[in-house]
């Protein structure tokens, strides 16, 4: 749509005055309470909801209300001093790292809540690392300053040591100057020459650097008492950037989904470029045919676009967030249009590695069908769950990231579907690769008429490299269309190797083969590809790969010896130790299988004084007998 220049100007202004932000925090730091206060101060709500009474406005699920934690990302907007702020609520537990990543897809800036008493926690560090890796500017809020023991100076000191030296209290002009001088050579030179830098210049420069994610304003207050909230809102509009303009082509991402009784499945879309209009047709991936491995493309029409208040807005512009209906089963993580124009932080799929599988059974066997339907609905909302049902075994299983998610699932099934269930002990999801270089060959030439001959050269890939495929076969030997079919058939062919796990870290080259001018039938290459792959996997031998976690332990001195020996018992190895005045940080690589329950052990052995943060480091070879399916 080319629009008039007046329209364009309006759009530009709209972008400049828009802030898409997320509030992140260590669990219990006060994220929900702060969100409520911001809504209240901006006049969006008139009565304060409360986490403690289970009436918070941003907590949507019943489970969240009853547990008092935010699980599902949701989004509301508020207006502040001529700016519109889209507030994206974000999950606060490491178990939900995938969801946390997803909510980062939609935002341009973040508020990080840190408890003024407990200070910088392992989770705070993880979140901050994620901001830095994704280039997300942030405002830091030291909450709970009303509580005895809250100490802004001490926490600021921790922030400098553990997060960034370029952070300063917003009210401390001297502190701001230190940061600004460090970032700007010109100001540094003038400062060294003894020139007095005007406060306005210091603040303006700081703001510009903050918007670029190079420094961080620190605010203090109490969400519970409603203190310091205006300052947070001011900092959001001043120190966090608006959506970048200038992206012409359609580009956007589905970062969450919800269900509406009338309109069906709603997709929460953040648009980065172009626009989406109601009744516009959009090409989306259709069903994957399990027999052929071919994914069709279908045209679907957007039936309605709604704003965050549920109002019909008809159109979504670049930079905005809205709920799009009519695109059916489209999954969270789907990107619209031109992927190249999406910012670095939108990397759908990068954190979506399910590590555990857990079987679920209804307490009453006759509820199985009901459970199956509930599971289907839930995994439509959260594709990460990947509910799968085996008819032969009569078993239903979910993929989970950890025990907390399992607990929440259990409650969700009870409150929403009136189903009482029990879970098996989670089992690890392994992967596999080949042991040595080999070839995989298939000749599908009988019974005629059929013809598909192909030979792959297969080489074990570098750890973490995934599957790479190329073809060196000329199209006169295997026509382009058939080569394309081979490529399409690969994901399914590699889904289960000789040990029963997905195959990875493999370099595949199509080196030989041919089609037949008369005998080749349209689907012959799709049928034969898995045969050639299986042939190669058999010749190449199997290596079982297990997920390895990088665990960071935050320990009081007297727990270090015990944890070190536990790491060894869990087949792990310590890779780094650091200590500061208060604690020792031990980094270790430990197989998931042996460390699944360690958080509980650690809490017990340290009397709750130690903590740990976990992330997936990668996969490493392990003894074959571990991965018996
Ligand atoms: P979240 O888990 O980060 O969303 O944190 P909540 O907003 O649910 O708050 C966790 C607990 O801390 C609740 O019991 C709140 O009432 C309490 N809380 C939040 N902010 C403050 C504050 O500024 N001062 C005090 N004393 N308590 C607070």
């Amino acid at each position: 749509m080319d629009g008039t220049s007046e329209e364009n100007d309006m759009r530009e202004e709209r972008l400049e005055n828009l802030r898409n932000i997320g509030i992140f925090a260590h669990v219990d730091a006060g994220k929900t309470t702060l969100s409520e206060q911001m809504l209240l101060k901006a006049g969006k709500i008139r009565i304060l909801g409360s986490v403690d009474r289970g009436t918070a406005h941003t907590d949507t699920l019943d489970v969240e209300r009853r547990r008092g934690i935010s699980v599902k990302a949701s989004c509301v907007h508020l207006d502040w001093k001529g700016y519109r702020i889209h507030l994206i609520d974000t999950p606060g537990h490491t178990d939900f790292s995938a969801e946390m990543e997803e909510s980062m897809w939609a935002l341009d800036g973040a508020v990080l809540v840190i408890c003024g008493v407990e200070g910088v926690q392992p989770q705070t560090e993880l979140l901050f690392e994620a901001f830095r890796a994704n280039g997300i500017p942030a405002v830091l809020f030291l909450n709970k300053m009303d509580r005895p023991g809250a100490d802004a100076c001490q926490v600021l000191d921790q922030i400098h040591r553990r997060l960034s030296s370029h952070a300063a209290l917003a009210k401390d002009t001297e502190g701001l100057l230190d940061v600004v001088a460090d970032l700007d050579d010109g100001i540094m030179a003038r400062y060294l020459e003894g020139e007095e830098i005007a406060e306005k210049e210091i603040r303006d420069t700081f703001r510009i650097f903050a918007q670029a994610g190079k420094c961080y304003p620190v605010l203090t207050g109490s969400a519970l008492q409603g203190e310091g909230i205006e300052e947070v809102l001011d900092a959001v509009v001043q120190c966090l950037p608006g959506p970048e303009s200038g992206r012409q082509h359609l580009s956007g991402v589905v970062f969450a989904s919800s269900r509406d009784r009338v309109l069906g499945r709603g997709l929460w879309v953040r648009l980065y470029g172009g626009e989406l209009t109601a009744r516009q047709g959009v090409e989306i991936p259709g069903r994957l045919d399990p027999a052929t491995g071919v994914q069709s493309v279908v045209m679907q029409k957007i039936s309605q676009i709604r704003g965050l208040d549920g109002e019909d807005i008809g159109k979504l512009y670049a930079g905005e967030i809205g709920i799009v209906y009519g695109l059916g089963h489209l999954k969270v993580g789907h990107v619209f249009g031109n992927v190249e124009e999406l910012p670095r932080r939108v990397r759908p799929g990068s954190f979506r590695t399910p590590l555990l599988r857990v079987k679920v059974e209804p307490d009453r066997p006759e509820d199985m069908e009901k459970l199956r339907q509930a599971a289907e609905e839930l995994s439509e909302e959260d594709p990460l769950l990947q509910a799968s049902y085996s008819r032969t075994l009569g078993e239903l299983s979910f993929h989970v990231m950890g025990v907390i998610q399992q607990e929440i699932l259990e409650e969700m099934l009870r409150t929403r579907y009136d189903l009482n269930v029990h879970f098996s002990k989670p089992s690890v999801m392994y992967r596999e690769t080949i042991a040595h270089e080999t070839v995989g060959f298939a000749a599908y030439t009988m019974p005629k008429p059929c013809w598909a001959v192909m030979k792959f050269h297969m080489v074990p890939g570098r750890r973490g490299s995934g599957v790479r495929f190329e073809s060196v076969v000329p199209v006169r030997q295997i026509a382009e269309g058939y080569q394309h079919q081979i490529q399409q058939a690969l994901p399914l062919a590699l889904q289960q190797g000789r040990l029963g796990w997905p195959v990875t870290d493999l370099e595949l080259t199509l080196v030989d083969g041919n089609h037949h001018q008369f005998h080749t039938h349209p689907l012959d290459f799709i049928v034969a590809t898995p045969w050639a792959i299986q042939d190669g996997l058999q010749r190449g031998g199997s290596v079982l790969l297990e997920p390895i976690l990088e665990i960071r332990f935050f320990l009081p001195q007297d727990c270090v010896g015990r944890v070190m020996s536990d790491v060894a018992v869990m087949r792990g190895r310590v890779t780094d130790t650091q200590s500061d005045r208060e604690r020792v940080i031990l980094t270790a690589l430990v197989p998931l299988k042996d460390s699944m329950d360690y958080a509980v052990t650690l809490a017990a052995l340290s009397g709750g004084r130690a903590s740990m943060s976990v992330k997936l480091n990668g996969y490493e070879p392990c003894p074959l007998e571990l991965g018996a399916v």
Side-chain angles (χ1 to χ4, degrees):
M1 203 144 300
D2 11 349
T4 60
S5 65
E6 201 177 323
E7 233 178 273
N8 286 335
D9 286 350
M10 268 172 58
R11 227 173 285 163
E12 283 296 317
E13 193 184 321
R14 199 140 110 174
L15 284 189
E16 252 166 53
N17 294 342
L18 181 63
R19 296 289 180 271
N20 292 310
I21 65 153
I23 303 185
F24 294 83
H26 163 251
V27 171
D28 244 25
K31 177 182 69 190
T32 314
T33 312
L34 175 66
S35 312
E36 292 285 320
Q37 284 285 359
M38 287 166 72
L39 292 172
L40 183 77
K41 285 284 179 318
K44 176 82 183 173
I45 54 172
R46 274 179 303 147
I47 308 163
L48 203 58
S50 153
V51 182
D52 303 316
R53 291 193 308 271
T55 54
H57 294 82
T58 46
D59 282 356
T60 45
L61 289 173
D62 285 350
V63 197
E64 295 177 3
R65 294 195 175 204
R66 296 208 286 108
R67 282 187 62 114
I69 60 168
S70 311
V71 181
K72 201 106 195 129
S74 57
C75 186
V76 291
H77 71 74
L78 55 96
D79 295 315
W80 183 251
K81 299 190 176 165
Y83 288 83
R84 168 144 297 191
I85 300 174
H86 284 160
L87 205 62
I88 300 153
D89 192 25
T90 52
H93 196 279
T94 25
D95 261 20
F96 295 91
S97 58
E99 261 187 40
M100 185 190 87
E101 286 298 315
E102 283 160 17
S103 50
M104 287 194 184
W105 296 344
L107 49 83
D108 304 303
V111 175
L112 180 60
V113 185
I114 301 172
C115 174
V117 183
E118 285 168 358
V120 173
Q121 298 289 306
Q123 249 246 301
T124 324
E125 284 177 74
L126 272 185
L127 287 164
F128 197 81
E129 270 170 31
F131 296 160
R132 217 179 341 220
N134 290 307
I136 296 174
V139 165
L140 312 183
F141 179 62
L142 306 189
N143 189 29
K144 305 198 184 183
M145 295 310 293
D146 59 308
R147 271 183 46 186
D151 184 340
C153 289
Q154 203 176 337
V155 181
L156 186 66
D157 185 42
Q158 283 180 340
I159 290 172
H160 284 155
R161 281 184 287 121
R162 297 181 195 162
L163 305 184
S164 165
S165 57
H166 291 150
L169 287 168
K171 55 180 187 241
D172 172 17
T173 315
E174 280 296 306
L176 297 177
L177 177 59
D178 278 348
V179 172
V180 167
D182 207 37
L183 289 168
D184 185 316
D185 290 346
I187 292 185
M188 177 64 105
R190 285 160 55 201
Y191 177 68
L192 290 178
E193 278 162 20
E195 183 183 330
E196 181 142 349
I197 319 276
E199 180 169 343
K200 180 165 184 327
E201 184 179 354
I202 296 172
R203 290 191 177 276
D204 286 350
T205 318
F206 191 90
R207 234 184 38 220
I208 292 164
F209 280 124
Q211 285 199 348
K214 296 203 166 95
C215 65
Y216 306 89
V218 182
L219 301 139
T220 56
S222 157
L224 196 63
Q225 314 281 348
E227 281 158 23
I229 314 299
E230 284 97 338
E231 287 78 0
V232 175
L233 286 161
D234 285 344
V236 164
V237 301
Q238 286 168 12
C239 299
L240 295 179
E244 249 179 70
S245 61
R247 290 191 178 89
Q248 296 297 323
H249 302 109
L250 178 67
S251 64
V253 60
V254 178
F255 68 95
S257 78
S258 61
R259 184 168 276 286
D260 182 282
R261 272 183 222 293
V262 182
L263 294 168
R265 189 142 181 271
L267 304 170
W268 296 66
V269 173
R270 161 70 200 261
L271 215 55
Y272 281 92
E275 44 190 70
L276 284 178
T277 316
R279 285 174 294 285
Q280 178 180 342
V282 181
E283 270 191 359
I284 62 169
R287 294 253 170 240
L288 182 77
D289 183 341
T292 60
V294 174
Q295 181 123 45
S296 58
V297 172
V298 293
M299 191 68 141
Q300 290 263 40
K301 226 180 209 175
I302 295 175
S303 59
Q304 207 176 90
I305 302 180
R306 294 198 165 191
L308 300 179
D309 283 340
E311 75 283 19
D312 188 347
I313 52 172
K315 208 169 203 178
L316 199 62
Y317 293 102
E320 294 181 335
I321 290 171
I323 312 164
V324 174
Y325 293 91
L327 298 183
H329 59 273
L330 207 59
K331 291 204 162 99
V332 169
H334 178 84
V335 292
F336 289 101
N338 194 338
V339 181
E340 260 85 71
E341 293 206 2
L342 291 167
R344 181 156 49 114
R345 61 183 168 274
V346 188
R347 269 171 296 173
S350 59
F351 275 77
R352 319 188 115 251
T353 317
L355 299 178
L356 295 170
R357 184 163 55 194
V358 61
K359 277 195 294 230
V360 53
E361 274 178 22
D363 287 355
R364 303 185 321 156
E366 61 271 29
D367 280 342
M368 194 57 178
E369 185 51 32
K370 197 169 152 197
L371 176 61
R372 225 160 59 76
Q373 279 170 15
E376 208 168 286
E377 211 173 294
L378 287 175
S379 37
E380 217 178 83
E381 278 171 34
D382 179 2
L384 211 63
L385 285 173
Q386 292 179 33
S388 65
Y389 181 70
S390 153
R391 221 166 261 288
T392 34
L393 299 172
E395 274 178 11
L396 183 72
S397 60
F398 283 114
H399 289 170
V400 292
M401 309 297 286
V403 274
I404 295 266
Q405 193 188 7
Q406 176 179 320
E407 218 180 280
I408 284 170
L409 215 52
E410 192 174 338
E411 284 209 36
M412 199 125 90
L413 287 166
R414 186 165 57 238
T415 50
R416 204 158 125 186
Y417 300 96
D418 194 25
L419 278 166
N420 288 313
V421 299
H422 48 273
F423 289 90
S424 67
K425 186 171 158 44
S427 56
V428 172
M429 312 260 302
Y430 293 87
R431 293 191 178 182
E432 59 175 277
T433 188
I434 52 172
H436 51 80
E437 188 174 339
T438 187
V439 292
F441 178 76
Y444 179 34
T445 55
M446 297 281 277
K448 284 201 171 63
C450 69
W451 195 279
V453 179
M454 70 184 92
K455 185 166 147 189
F456 291 107
H457 182 214
M458 298 163 75
V459 182
R462 197 176 34 80
R463 255 341 123 241
S465 61
V467 174
R468 278 193 278 182
F469 171 73
E470 68 167 337
S471 164
V472 295
V473 177
V475 292
R476 74 186 136 74
Q477 255 176 267
I478 301 180
E480 200 177 341
Y482 296 136
Q483 296 213 18
H484 185 59
Q485 287 187 349
I486 292 175
Q487 198 168 358
Q488 281 186 309
L490 282 177
L492 202 69
L494 292 165
Q495 211 166 28
Q496 269 196 4
R498 306 292 298 175
L499 303 171
W501 300 103
V503 180
T504 187
D505 298 350
L506 180 65
E507 284 175 25
L508 266 177
T509 314
L510 184 63
V511 287
D512 203 0
N514 49 58
H515 69 254
H516 190 286
Q517 195 180 353
F518 305 115
H519 294 326
T520 299
H521 192 265
L523 294 180
D524 288 353
F525 277 93
I526 283 180
V527 173
T529 304
W531 298 349
I533 294 291
Q534 286 302 321
D535 179 58
L537 294 178
Q538 192 175 5
R539 290 172 207 250
S542 305
V543 175
L544 186 68
L545 301 172
E546 65 174 331
I548 305 291
L549 302 178
E550 183 190 286
I551 306 186
R552 272 208 283 173
F553 296 98
F554 300 82
L555 305 170
Q557 198 67 47
D558 57 302
C559 296
V560 175
R562 167 70 196 272
V563 170
M564 281 205 172
S565 74
D566 285 352
V567 165
V569 171
M570 294 188 287
R571 297 185 293 129
R573 56 181 192 274
V574 173
T575 54
D576 186 49
T577 42
Q578 281 178 27
S579 52
D580 61 24
R581 266 174 283 154
E582 308 132 51
R583 58 176 190 167
V584 177
I585 306 176
L586 210 81
T587 310
L589 295 175
V590 189
L592 169 65
K593 181 172 194 322
D594 300 82
S595 57
M596 243 188 275
D597 305 325
Y598 198 67
V600 181
T601 313
L602 184 68
L605 77 88
S606 68
R609 289 171 304 140
S611 57
M612 61 189 248
S613 72
V614 172
K615 68 179 177 200
L616 178 65
N617 182 262
Y619 287 77
E620 283 180 17
C622 71
L624 280 182
E625 61 271 16
L626 283 181
V629 215

